[in-house]
C-alpha cells in the first residue's frame, strides 16, 4: 500500500436549478461522479450516456444510485446551461457548477485533471480533462474509479458489487 493522500472528500456546489448541493446530501446513496463539460464533443456525451444507461439498469434496486456531473468549465457551464444538458442523459442526473477555484479544488482532491486549451483560429477554447468515473460509497467515502469508455453493463456490475 502506498501512503498517498486519500482521494475524494466532500464538496458544495450549485446544481442546474441554482440550488446549493453538498456531497453529504447523498448519504445513503451510492454516487457516480463524473467531471466534464457540456461543450465536450465526444468523450463526455459518450460516458454520460453509459452512466445514464447504468443508472437505468440499476433503478430496479431502488433509487440508490445518484449520478453527478461536475463541470470543469464553470465559466460557460452555468446552471441554465446544465439544466438543458443533463436531462438528455438521465432524468436524475444532477449537473454541478461553481466558482473556478472551488471547481479546481474539488478536481484536485479527486486527483482528476483539467486544462483550458485555446483554439488557434477563434476566441474559443476546449478543456482537456481526465474522464474517470468515480464511485462514492453511501458514507461519502471514495470507493474506486472506472476508466473513460467503461460500458454501462460493466458500470452497473461495479455498482452492484458495492451495494451487496
Ligand atoms: Ni469531455
Amino acid at each position: 500500500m502506498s501512503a498517498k493522500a486519500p482521494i475524494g472528500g466532500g464538496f458544495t456546489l450549485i446544481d442546474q436549478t441554482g440550488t446549493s448541493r453538498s456531497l453529504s446530501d447523498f448519504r445513503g446513496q451510492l454516487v457516480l461522479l463524473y467531471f466534464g463539460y457540456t461543450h465536450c464533443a465526444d468523450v463526455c456525451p459518450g460516458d454520460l450516456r453509459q452512466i445514464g444507461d447504468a443508472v437505468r439498469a440499476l433503478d430496479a434496486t431502488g433509487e440508490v444510485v445518484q449520478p453527478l456531473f461536475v463541470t470543469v468549465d464553470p465559466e460557460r457551464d452555468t446552471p441554465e446551461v446544465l439544466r438543458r444538458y443533463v436531462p438528455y442523459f438521465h432524468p436524475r442526473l444532477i449537473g454541478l457548477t461553481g466558482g473556478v477555484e472551488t471547481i479546481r479544488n474539488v478536481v484536485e482532491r479527486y486527483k482528476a485533471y483539467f486544462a483550458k486549451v485555446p483554439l488557434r483560429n477563434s476566441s474559443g477554447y476546449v478543456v482537456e480533462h481526465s474522464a474517470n468515473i468515480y464511485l462514492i460509497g453511501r458514507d461519502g467515502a471514495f470507493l474506486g474509479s472506472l476508466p473513460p469508455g467503461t460500458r454501462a453493463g460493466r458500470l452497473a456490475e461495479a455498482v452492484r458489487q458495492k451495494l451487496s
Side-chain angles (χ1 to χ4, degrees), residues 67-79:
L68 302 180
F69 172 64
V70 174
T71 183
V72 292
D73 186 13
E75 289 157 277
R76 288 188 295 198
D77 287 343
T78 60

Side-chain angles (χ1 to χ4, degrees), residues 34 36-37 40 43-44 129:
Y34 188 77
Y37 70 117
C40 189
V43 175
C44 286
H129 66 97

